[in-house]
Amino acid sequence: MQVTDIYVSAPGKAILHGEHAVVHGKVALAVSLNLRTYLKLKATTTGKVCINLPNIDTFLCWDLSELKQLIPHSLGKREEVKLLDTELVGRLREFVGVTNGNLDTCNMATLSFLYIYISLFRSSQLPSLTLTVWSELPTGAGLGSSAAYSVCLAAALLCASGAIPTPLKEWDHSARWCQEDLELINSWAFQGEMIIHGNPSGVDNAVGTWGGMLRFLAGKIIPLSRVPLLRILLTNTKVPRSTKFPSIMTPVLDSVDAVSCTCEKVLSEMTCEPITGEHYNILEELIDINQHHLNVMGVGHPALDTLCQVTLARGLHSKLTGAGGGGCGITLLRPETDSAVIQTTVQDLRDCGFDCWETSIGGPGVQQHSPLSLKEEVLEILSHY
């Protein structure tokens, strides 16, 4: 099979509103982060399959003959992606050397890649190739890094196998797939997430696939067609996240649900009428209300309180995003926020021992790129291997 070189990227994700309340049947809003994972797939003639993951210091190669022996005779059609092939997963776990239930980051990334690669190409067609993946997202911070990885794998390998066309035309810098192809990418990315997380919600890979903002309610994921691009600061407190969650009162959950729905309404208004300061006033108020609710729920942390205090001293509003108990927070930036204020705030947060990035939310999902469209830093890293 002739495989061509492919560059793709997918965004991370943040929960804008509704974390924790979503498991009690309330609305959550998940948004794409303009911190992305990038993948380069390069065709080779070495008779080997190699994967380079410099973020986690993982560089692996296998002979095609080794991988062909792992393929179950019962391997279904590549379109059948609703359930994991447990026989193939078992063989791959043994091959990678996973003897218990505890997978480290390297093993999870390796299993996910090998599963999608073997499932899509079949025994007689396994091509020789090298994959290099590099991410702007920190791992283990609740920002969808594994889902962005799985989405990139699915998009690149589906293209390489001929299951979907490459959307990039000769004159394009970047391009997106059609809805039907995105659905197939998402379904295979979900397979990768199942290998990594066991029983994922599907939100993270859906954000990585479609980008923008998604409404999540009672297991149903609805991409919202138009949302404004909002500038934020993203702060990683570097305190390990905690998913411990005490019992809470129904009125708090109802209020969080109202926050999510009000935010959705305001963002929708911002796409179809002139954006005003009042829109940002409401968004800031919703952030403050939700952060107070999350503290009431018991998922706050002194590090997150510090984040809120430091940013509020500069007139900026912040909340935790994700599991809480540490982890990450987001800070809304108004269009008129002075760059000097932003730079000072970022430095203040770094002085607290936090990592901080200026980025945006609501950007595009998975894309194919021409090499010329990639940032110099990204292209240099992907070309190094």
Side-chain angles (χ1 to χ4, degrees), residues 148-168:
Y149 170 76
S150 295
V151 170
C152 283
L153 285 181
L157 292 172
L158 281 164
C159 278
S161 69
I164 60 176
T166 58
L168 196 71

Side-chain angles (χ1 to χ4, degrees), residues 153-204:
L153 285 181
L157 292 172
L158 281 164
C159 278
S161 69
I164 60 176
T166 58
L168 196 71
K169 304 296 186 251
E170 188 177 342
W171 54 86
D172 289 335
H173 288 301
S174 60
R176 304 254 300 134
W177 285 267
C178 69
Q179 181 68 13
E180 183 180 357
D181 293 341
L182 288 174
E183 288 172 1
L184 190 59
I185 290 170
N186 187 54
S187 62
W188 278 103
F190 185 64
Q191 295 281 292
E193 281 285 87
M194 288 175 70
I195 289 172
I196 293 171
H197 293 296
N199 187 30
S201 67
V203 171
D204 288 16

Side-chain angles (χ1 to χ4, degrees), residues 52-341:
N52 302 310
L53 308 172
N55 290 90
I56 56 173
D57 199 28
T58 296
F59 307 92
L60 300 167
C61 274
W62 304 275
D63 287 329
L64 289 178
S65 56
E66 287 182 272
L67 299 183
K68 286 180 180 179
Q69 295 174 14
L70 298 172
I71 300 168
H73 297 299
S74 61
L75 193 64
K77 296 179 180 179
R78 65 186 176 198
E79 290 79 13
E80 297 171 357
V81 293
K82 297 297 183 188
L83 298 173
L84 278 178
D85 186 312
T86 54
E87 183 184 354
L88 178 57
V89 172
R91 290 188 181 197
L92 290 174
R93 287 173 71 95
E94 185 177 343
F95 177 71
V96 171
V98 178
T99 55
N100 55 42
N102 296 322
L103 293 174
D104 62 22
T105 304
C106 170
N107 285 335
M108 289 188 292
T110 304
L111 284 173
S112 182
F113 162 65
L114 288 176
Y115 181 87
I116 297 174
Y117 168 78
I118 289 174
S119 297
L120 286 175
F121 282 105
R122 303 296 179 274
S123 57
S124 60
Q125 301 177 5
L126 294 185
S128 175
L129 53 82
T130 295
L131 241 69
T132 301
V133 186
W134 179 78
S135 185
E136 296 170 326
L137 293 158
T139 58
L143 300 176
S145 60
S146 70
Y149 170 76
S150 295
V151 170
C152 283
L153 285 181
L157 292 172
L158 281 164
C159 278
S161 69
I164 60 176
T166 58
L168 196 71
K169 304 296 186 251
E170 188 177 342
W171 54 86
D172 289 335
H173 288 301
S174 60
R176 304 254 300 134
W177 285 267
C178 69
Q179 181 68 13
E180 183 180 357
D181 293 341
L182 288 174
E183 288 172 1
L184 190 59
I185 290 170
N186 187 54
S187 62
W188 278 103
F190 185 64
Q191 295 281 292
E193 281 285 87
M194 288 175 70
I195 289 172
I196 293 171
H197 293 296
N199 187 30
S201 67
V203 171
D204 288 16
N205 50 277
V207 172
T209 301
W210 278 282
M213 184 167 73
L214 284 83
R215 188 179 202 267
F216 185 55
L217 176 64
K220 293 184 179 178
I221 302 169
I222 303 171
L224 303 180
S225 56
R226 295 178 63 195
V227 290
L229 198 67
L230 300 177
R231 290 194 305 152
I232 63 162
L233 295 181
L234 175 71
T235 302
N236 183 3
T237 66
K238 298 194 278 190
V239 175
R241 293 175 298 140
S242 170
T243 55
K244 183 182 178 185
F245 188 63
S247 59
I248 53 177
M249 297 177 293
T250 300
V252 177
L253 293 171
D254 290 342
S255 184
V256 172
D257 189 61
V259 165
S260 296
C261 293
T262 304
C263 181
E264 183 183 348
K265 179 174 177 289
V266 171
L267 293 176
S268 178
E269 288 175 1
M270 292 171 73
T271 64
C272 56
E273 59 185 59
I275 296 175
T276 67
E278 183 58 25
H279 288 124
Y280 275 90
N281 291 343
I282 297 171
L283 292 179
E284 288 174 342
E285 184 178 5
L286 294 174
I287 284 172
D288 292 342
I289 292 170
N290 202 357
Q291 179 61 23
H292 288 307
H293 286 339
L294 290 161
N295 279 330
V296 168
M297 292 178 189
V299 296
H301 187 275
L304 292 163
D305 293 337
T306 298
L307 163 64
C308 293
Q309 291 161 7
V310 167
T311 56
L312 191 58
R314 305 286 179 186
L316 305 173
H317 299 254
S318 305
K319 66 175 286 290
L320 71 84
T321 180
C328 294
I330 54 175
T331 305
L332 182 64
L333 300 176
R334 286 176 173 257
E336 69 270 19
T337 304
D338 190 87
S339 60
V341 171

